[in-house]
Amino acid sequence: MRSIHLPAHGSSGMLTGMTTPEATTYPHLFAPLDLGFCTLPNRVLMGSMHTGLEDHARDFGKLAEYFAARARGGVGLMVTGGFSPNIAGWLKPFSSRLASRWQVGPHRRITESVHAAGGRICLQILHAGRYGFHPLSVAPSAIKSPITPFTPRALSDGGIECTIRAFVRCAKLAQDAGYNGVEIMGSEGYLINQFLAERSNQRSDRWGSSTENRMRFPIEIVRRTRETVGRDFIIIYRLSMLDLVDRAQAWDEIVALAKQVEAAGATLINTGIGWHEARVPTIVTSVPRGAFTWVTRRMKERLRIPLITTNRINMPAVADDILARGDADMVSMARPFLADPDWVAKARSGRTSLINPCIACNQACLDHVFENKRASCLMNPRACFETELTDAPVAQKKRIAVVGAGPAGLACATTLAQRGHAVTLYEQSNEIGGQFNLAKRIPGKEEYAEPMRYWGNLLTELGVEVHLGRRADTATLRDGNFDAVVVATGVTPRDPKIPGQDHPMVLDYHDAIASGKTIGKRVAIIGAGGIGFDVAEFLTQDAPSPTTDIARWTREWGVDTKLARRGGLAKPETEPSPREVWLLQRSTGRPGKRLNKTTGWVHRAALKAKGVKMLGGVAYTRIDDAGLHVTIDGNPQTLAVDNVIICAGQESNRALADELSALGITAHVIGGADVAAELDAKRAIRQATELAAIL
């Protein structure tokens, strides 16, 4: 095949939010926002995102650079991860807290770095309430949450007063530390939200029993905070506009609260969607872009102060359209700024095509936080590692070959080129992306098309020499006079060694997803890992998926867009599956148990709603004209299916690396070619980026 340079990609469909550089203009997004005592340069809020760096003052230097990078990138206003106002409000033992004068000094490192970079930043005050993962947790009532093992202690009347004072003290300390404001976290099921809902507040005193009493707690916090910090200090109140749990707030109660929060002195009201215990997903990749801005618009009609909308906004065109429709005065994004600290600058300068996308996978951000790891980003491993993972220019330019244009190869090639190396990229197929080209075909994973848009344009921008449709053999690499060779040749499907697996009814997962072959009405999937779940969703959801249609998605998950029911919940109206599907695994236990914490439950719930039969402890006997013969719990059975799809894992494709080694040529092996377990793109991209940082 001849050498080619990839052309700049245009729009990859409705979900990309792409425009050509010549036409890139987002007038609503970049309109200033006058708050009276200060003016924000644009309508972009970097929303609160806990990174793990907040928990120890020794990490505040890293946290300062993390925020400074986003300030240099042009964000109008930023909000930190949540800081508790007292020990009882900890998310976990010894987690982030601002409650004492001695803690002010370390915070100045953050605010001074942000201000030097031309930015503004607010500190989020978050009291976990019954979501605290520790035995000191408190709540309005002694009712355990379904997501923590600890039953909270019910606050006394005096304890509530002390907690209000703690919020106010935290805000004053934030002001003294140089923050431009605070965000009072009143949503997502944390303490303030717990006071507002009957499900968690069953008090009979002046802090419960009636709507007015339940609202007293947040109103007092806002009112006393404003009295303490004065007029020229931003107070954002994060209002739960859609609880998505039962025995929660009614819409008229939420409106009444918003009006009183406004009267009490809030500068801005930010939209909160869903409690952490809700059955409706709110931020995973299968949620449509801008899926909840309609509720902010409904509230905007009732208030005078600016409103911020949030959740699944990741590209400039989406954000600008939201503002143009009048759904909100400002848009909040958190994870997109993990993916690309220069998001705003790129959008402003007409370089939207080079925005590194947030695909809402949660794998390196939220999943890391729940695993007590430092947050980062699958697409940008430098996020939260800005001081440790260098992208500094190289002192000596090298010629480097990268073989394989899957996620690992693309991350390595582009990082090497950004540092100044001359890079040649070989890919035996006719398109870049590797396994992401399968993922983007899965209903609910349409966002996985975005990385190919980004990497494709970046390869062109950086002048990487790209050879598509060409397998790089040892002769090519030996004769190319390369200073280094990186092998990112990916994986091959594992052979499950089932008698009869060569039967015409049997397909591997690649053929099932990408070949266009007709698949019957009754299907058995062998293997219930991530790929097995993806194939099951592919088979049970007709295209286009609800991810592309907010109205369909809200019906399918049971969101009451008329807001007639408490909590905004309605009965889900699941669209029937076009097929009967069995999802099987050899290991015992619940299929999907090893899926990621913050997204796995969504996949399991979606397939359960589609009637997929998920079975563990399955022994495969043979495949023949009668179907798939199995033994389950010692009982032989025959599944009379039209097709069997094998998703039984992968093995590293190391053939090229082994051939090079035999010739005495050293090769760096990364990604699936190094470790094939569960096609871990997060590990592969980080490994590739770390290698590129030292070559």
Side-chain angles (χ1 to χ4, degrees), residues 401 477 482-487 657 659-669:
L477 298 172
F482 294 108
D483 298 303
V485 175
V486 178
V487 175
E659 291 169 9
L660 291 170
S661 179
L663 293 174
I665 300 174
T666 300
H668 305 275
V669 184

Side-chain angles (χ1 to χ4, degrees), residues 10-63:
S11 171
S12 58
M14 187 192 76
L15 285 173
T16 64
M18 292 284 295
T19 57
T20 61
E22 296 78 26
T24 298
T25 176
Y26 306 107
H28 303 90
L29 194 62
F30 292 109
L33 181 60
D34 185 359
L35 300 181
F37 54 89
C38 70
T39 299
L40 303 180
N42 54 58
R43 304 301 179 99
V44 181
L45 176 79
M46 176 177 156
S48 176
M49 179 77 197
H50 198 77
T51 68
L53 295 173
E54 301 87 353
D55 295 336
H56 303 286
R58 65 174 180 266
D59 289 328
F60 276 25
K62 299 172 185 176
L63 192 60

Side-chain angles (χ1 to χ4, degrees), residues 356-412:
N356 193 355
C358 168
I359 56 176
C361 67
N362 291 352
Q363 292 179 34
C365 51
L366 292 178
D367 284 341
H368 276 207
V369 171
F370 281 107
E371 294 167 1
N372 292 321
K373 299 177 182 177
R374 191 192 313 185
S376 189
C377 176
L378 177 144
M379 288 296 299
N380 175 27
R382 291 194 72 244
C384 303
F385 289 82
E386 286 80 7
T387 63
E388 299 152 84
L389 187 52
T390 180
D391 61 350
V394 294
Q396 181 179 358
K397 182 176 181 177
K398 298 178 182 178
R399 295 188 69 250
I400 301 177
V402 178
V403 184
L410 290 165
C412 190

Side-chain angles (χ1 to χ4, degrees), residues 315-604:
M315 292 299 287
V318 177
D320 198 72
D321 287 347
I322 289 166
L323 297 170
R325 291 195 305 265
D327 288 3
D329 302 288
M330 199 170 189
V331 292
S332 173
M333 295 173 284
R335 295 171 299 169
F337 289 107
L338 288 174
D340 197 330
D342 296 319
W343 191 101
V344 173
K346 289 177 180 178
R348 184 186 285 278
S349 63
R351 303 174 75 234
T352 300
S353 64
L354 294 174
I355 289 177
N356 193 355
C358 168
I359 56 176
C361 67
N362 291 352
Q363 292 179 34
C365 51
L366 292 178
D367 284 341
H368 276 207
V369 171
F370 281 107
E371 294 167 1
N372 292 321
K373 299 177 182 177
R374 191 192 313 185
S376 189
C377 176
L378 177 144
M379 288 296 299
N380 175 27
R382 291 194 72 244
C384 303
F385 289 82
E386 286 80 7
T387 63
E388 299 152 84
L389 187 52
T390 180
D391 61 350
V394 294
Q396 181 179 358
K397 182 176 181 177
K398 298 178 182 178
R399 295 188 69 250
I400 301 177
V402 178
V403 184
L410 290 165
C412 190
T414 52
T415 304
L416 287 168
Q418 284 171 324
R419 297 191 62 221
H421 292 303
V423 181
T424 302
L425 177 63
Y426 296 93
E427 168 56 41
Q428 67 179 1
S429 73
N430 291 318
E431 61 181 348
I432 65 170
Q435 297 289 336
F436 273 18
N437 286 311
L438 297 181
K440 72 184 183 183
R441 292 177 165 88
I442 305 302
K445 285 192 170 181
E446 288 83 356
E447 289 286 4
Y448 280 71
E450 284 293 310
M452 277 73 82
R453 179 269 305 161
Y454 165 68
W455 279 317
N457 285 312
L458 191 57
L459 290 169
T460 301
E461 174 88 358
L462 296 170
V464 174
E465 183 181 336
V466 180
H467 299 267
L468 295 181
R470 179 175 175 181
R471 184 182 182 277
D473 55 23
T474 54
T476 300
L477 298 172
R478 181 191 58 212
D479 298 340
N481 294 318
F482 294 108
D483 298 303
V485 175
V486 178
V487 175
T489 45
V491 298
T492 57
R494 179 182 296 126
D495 182 358
K497 295 181 171 55
I498 300 172
Q501 67 185 39
D502 57 348
H503 192 282
M505 75 166 64
V506 179
L507 302 170
D508 67 26
Y509 62 83
H510 188 279
D511 284 341
I513 295 172
S515 70
K517 293 181 180 179
T518 300
I519 299 177
K521 294 294 185 181
R522 293 164 59 85
V523 182
I525 300 170
I526 293 176
I531 294 176
F533 269 77
D534 278 355
V535 170
E537 297 211 34
F538 180 78
L539 296 175
T540 57
Q541 182 70 69
D542 281 329
S545 80
T547 297
T548 64
D549 185 334
I550 292 172
R552 280 180 63 204
W553 184 88
T554 52
R555 286 196 302 271
E556 183 137 306
W557 281 96
V559 178
D560 175 20
T561 57
K562 295 181 179 179
L563 300 174
R565 299 173 177 86
R566 285 186 174 274
L569 286 177
K571 183 178 179 181
E573 299 177 18
T574 304
E575 297 174 2
S577 168
R579 295 179 180 85
E580 186 176 8
V581 175
W582 287 262
L583 182 57
L584 312 171
Q585 67 180 27
R586 278 195 171 110
S587 59
T588 58
R590 180 180 61 173
K593 186 177 181 180
R594 292 190 297 273
L595 296 178
N596 295 323
K597 184 176 182 66
T598 59
T599 55
W601 70 271
V602 181
H603 298 305
R604 290 190 294 269

